């Protein structure tokens, strides 16, 4: 198991005790994080909140494998009845994770202020897969899956005191922070929306960090960033997982320095992505100042709607949006194929991005929750399971729609409303999740797309797509212009697929 050898040093049930006020001492964790000799000037011992009978002990002396509080699951050892709080629990990922973790025996709590429901309404759209109210969701989770979720309606930005009280009451052992606005186009509408996104995301997260310092400093924070923080370096420099590896070197002016362990440059591509970069620095600093522990998860674009739990009952479904502000690309393509709108490639359509299926993203989160960082550790993972050009994805969706669903799916190039390179090298590393946390992707992208076609073709859902299909073609330009993008070209699918396969083979790891 990937986490058998983790010790109490990683465990959120620990209470650290020592001769120094190490959290305020300003020293790095590497300098004296693990000293444990009582005769030395500084040392750190532990008490266990779950097993107080152990008294004071060396935090490195008990492994997860040896501790009865940690139990085997398919995703590593997991703390028995682990208390996990999900911020943004009503969202696409939050709701899915709540049911996923609940079915693994975690005690799930969560907060949301329904921002996402309001923002999608503002666009005049709706989730094409109908979702229930939170009251109904909680009731169905209990009735269908036997999962009890402790939910509070809280705005994490404007109700910090209430959030603090709730966290203090629950004392979560992991906090998953999804509660941000996830849309790049939304942040580019106008100044008010840009400010709303940055305030909500950056200040919401900053407030949370202070609460964690004061109330639950040993709890691990799983904070959602995005692969879009890195941009697409035109030099072709690899996109490392947050920090430069130990052997990276900077050569300049006849001299050289090690870059190992430094944060890699970020080159965000919208004011939304800037908010995530700002979060990165705030979380990084909080880990440094207060020895908080965090995974900053650079997540790729999610696709799909299936996990065993959300598929168990229509009332448990998670949302799926297709409008220009909130729909993500593969989800939108499938909806477009079903209602006969040619799939839209922006500009040349050769942008390359990292992707991961909903179900696989849930497994990654679980594996990270099961392997908490050490005190003071800020760790970054690139959470993707494959890298594709947008053109490749359009062809894949088109082929599946044509072959299996008898749909005349077309692909078009349209003006690009964004400011981004539409032809660029891309070498993203995503080795930590497989190597360090035992993750292997389980979802085949073509199969999930096929299953999405099946679900979205159902009359009730198809009708909901038809109702909002006028919101699919983008009208929000990075320049501030508000007009629908124009078609540049309708593509000949037969010719293109072959050429494209050759062109992008090199990017498939
Ligand atoms: N979906 C993707 O493809 C993707 C890719 C990369 C990163 N992410 C990140 O993952 C996270 C979750 O994404 P998602 O797709 O589930 O988005 P989502 O909008 O469906 O979920 C976010 C939830 O947070 C809530 N929320 C927002 N602001 C809040 C506040 N101030 N107080 C309380 N609740 C608040 C929203 O109401 C929503 O339910 C986001 O941070 C997003 O940026 C998503």
């Amino acid at each position: 198991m990937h986490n058998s050898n983790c010790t109490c040093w990683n465990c959120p049930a620990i209470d650290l005790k020592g001769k120094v006020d190490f959290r305020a001492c300003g020293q790095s964790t590497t300098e004296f994080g693990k000293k444990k000799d009582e005769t030395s000037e500084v040392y750190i011992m532990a008490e266990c909140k779950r097993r107080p009978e152990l008294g004071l002990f060396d935090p490195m002396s008990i492994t997860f494998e040896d501790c009865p509080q940690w139990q085997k699951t398919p995703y590593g050892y997991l703390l028995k009845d682990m208390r996990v709080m999900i911020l943004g629990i009503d969202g696409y990922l939050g709701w899915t994770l709540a049911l996923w973790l609940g079915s693994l025996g975690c005690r799930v709590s969560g907060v949301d202020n329904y921002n996402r429901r309001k923002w999608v309404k503002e666009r005049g759209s709706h989730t094409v897969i109908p979702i229930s109210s939170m009251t109904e969701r909680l009731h169905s989770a209990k009735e269908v899956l036997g999962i009890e979720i402790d939910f509070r309606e809280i705005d994490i930005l404007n109700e910090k005191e209430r959030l603090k009280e709730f966290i203090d009451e629950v004392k979560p052992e992991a906090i998953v922070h999804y509660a941000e606005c996830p849309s790049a186009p939304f942040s580019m509408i106008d100044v008010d929306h840009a400010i709303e996104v940055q305030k909500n995301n950056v200040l919401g997260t900053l407030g949370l960090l202070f609460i964690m310092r004061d109330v639950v400093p040993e709890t691990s924070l799983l904070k959602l960033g995005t692969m879009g923080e890195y941009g697409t370096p035109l030099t072709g420099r690899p996109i490392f997982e947050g920090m430069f590896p130990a052997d990276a070197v900077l050569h300049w002016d006849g001299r050289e320095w090690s870059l190992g362990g430094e944060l890699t440059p970020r080159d965000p591509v919208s004011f939304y992505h800037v908010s995530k970069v700002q979060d990165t620095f705030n979380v990084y600093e909080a880990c440094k100042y207060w020895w908080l522990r965090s995974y900053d998860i650079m997540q790729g674009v999610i696709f799909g709607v299936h996990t065993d739990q959300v598929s168990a009952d229509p009332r448990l479904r998670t949302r799926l949006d297709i409008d220009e502000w909130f729909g993500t690309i593969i989800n939108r393509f499938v909806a477009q194929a079903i209602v006969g709108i040619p799939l839209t490639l922006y500009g040349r359509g050769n942008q390359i991005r990292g992707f991961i299926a909903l179900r696989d993203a849930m497994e990654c989160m679980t594996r990270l929750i099961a392997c908490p960082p050490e005190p003071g550790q800020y760790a970054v993972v690139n959470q993707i399971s494959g890298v594709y050009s947008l053109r490749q994805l359009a062809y894949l969706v088109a082929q599946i729609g044509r072959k299996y669903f008898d749909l005349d799916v077309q692909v078009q190039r349209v003006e690009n409303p964004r400011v981004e390179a539409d032809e660029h090298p891309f070498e993203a590393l995503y080795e930590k999740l497989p190597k360090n946390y035992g993750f292997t992707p389980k979802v085949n992208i073509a199969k999930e797309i096929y299953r999405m076609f099946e679900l979205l073709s159902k009359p009730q859902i198809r009708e909901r797509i038809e109702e909002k299909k006028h919101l699919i073609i983008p009208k929000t330009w990075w320049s501030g212009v508000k007009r629908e993008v124009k078609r540049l070209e309708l593509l000949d699918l037969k010719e293109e697929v072959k050429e494209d396969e050759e062109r992008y083979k090199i990017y498939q790891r």
Side-chain angles (χ1 to χ4, degrees), residues 90 95 114 117 127 129-138 140 313-318:
D90 188 47
W95 181 245
Y114 307 122
R117 295 189 190 227
T127 157
I129 295 182
I131 56 169
S132 316
S133 67
M134 182 51 83
T135 313
E136 173 70 0
R137 282 183 147 182
L138 298 174
S140 313
D313 188 286
R315 293 167 296 165
L316 295 178
R317 285 268 176 216
T318 194

Side-chain angles (χ1 to χ4, degrees), residues 284-468:
Y284 178 75
E285 293 305 318
C287 292
K288 201 161 77 187
Y289 305 154
W290 308 322
W291 283 30
L292 296 189
R293 347 159 157 220
S294 176
Y295 284 117
D296 204 351
I297 298 162
M298 301 302 138
Q299 184 170 259
V301 186
I302 306 270
F303 61 92
V305 273
H306 294 100
T307 61
D308 288 348
Q309 299 77 34
V310 298
S311 309
D313 188 286
R315 293 167 296 165
L316 295 178
R317 285 268 176 216
T318 194
R319 60 181 312 121
L320 188 102
D321 296 277
I322 57 157
D323 66 88
E324 60 149 338
W325 288 351
F326 288 98
T328 50
I329 184 160
I330 299 181
N331 299 350
R332 273 160 60 81
F333 276 174
V334 176
Q336 285 176 251
I338 287 172
V339 293
I341 298 178
L343 315 189
T344 36
L345 294 174
Y346 296 174
R348 277 181 281 187
N350 295 323
Q351 298 88 331
I352 304 164
R353 300 285 183 267
F355 291 83
I356 185 163
L358 182 64
R359 185 235 163 259
D360 284 343
M362 298 300 109
E363 176 171 338
C364 290
M365 296 301 286
T366 311
R367 288 180 177 275
L368 294 172
I369 289 170
C371 195
E374 297 179 354
Q377 189 184 358
Y378 169 83
V380 183
V381 295
N382 290 348
Q383 186 168 286
I384 58 180
S385 62
V387 165
Y388 305 91
S389 82
L390 305 191
R391 193 177 279 255
Q392 228 176 355
L393 293 172
Y395 295 152
L396 182 60
V397 171
Q399 280 174 317
I400 294 172
R402 282 168 170 256
K403 192 164 166 190
Y404 300 106
F405 296 87
D406 204 21
L407 294 163
D408 179 23
V409 188
Q410 305 284 330
V411 179
Q412 59 179 334
R413 289 200 307 109
V414 297
E415 293 171 308
N416 192 346
R418 303 180 173 216
V419 177
E420 64 183 3
D422 54 10
E423 186 94 56
H424 57 86
F426 193 74
E427 188 188 339
L429 288 128
Y430 46 106
E431 291 168 351
K432 281 196 201 166
L433 275 159
K435 281 192 185 156
N436 304 349
Y437 304 97
F439 166 69
T440 47
K442 309 291 182 305
V443 178
N444 171 296
I445 185 166
K447 278 194 192 145
E448 177 59 25
I449 291 173
Y450 179 92
R451 292 184 75 196
M452 289 175 72
F453 267 107
E454 280 186 321
L455 183 64
L456 301 196
S457 302
K458 290 194 171 174
Q460 187 210 4
I461 297 180
R462 196 200 147 99
E463 210 172 286
R464 287 174 70 86
I465 302 173
E466 286 283 356
E467 249 180 78
K468 301 298 176 189

Side-chain angles (χ1 to χ4, degrees), residues 91-93 112-113 115-116 154-156 179 200 272 276 300 302:
Y92 176 43
L93 307 182
D112 208 293
N113 67 345
N115 260 347
R116 173 63 177 256
I154 294 177
D155 178 338
I156 69 156
N200 187 68
Y272 153 70
K276 294 287 190 183
I302 306 270

Side-chain angles (χ1 to χ4, degrees), residues 25-83:
C25 68
Q27 299 296 312
S28 79
T29 50
T30 43
E31 201 169 314
F32 65 108
K34 296 169 196 173
K35 285 193 183 168
K36 50 185 189 285
D37 173 2
E38 288 194 34
T39 59
S40 65
E41 273 200 8
V42 287
Y43 71 93
I44 291 172
M45 300 289 280
E47 264 176 346
C48 179
K49 292 180 207 123
R50 287 179 170 234
R51 298 166 73 197
E53 70 279 6
L54 294 179
L56 269 182
F57 61 96
D58 169 3
M60 312 292 281
S61 61
I62 306 174
T63 63
F64 287 2
E65 196 174 12
D66 294 336
C67 176
Q69 291 292 316
W70 286 84
Q71 300 190 326
K72 267 189 182 166
T73 76
Y75 312 111
Y77 284 92
L78 194 62
L79 207 44
K80 200 165 36 169
D81 305 321
M82 187 167 187
R83 298 187 298 277

Side-chain angles (χ1 to χ4, degrees), residues 232-244:
T232 51
L234 292 177
T235 57
R237 165 179 67 68
I239 296 176
F240 298 107
E241 305 199 50
M243 277 103 158
F244 282 110

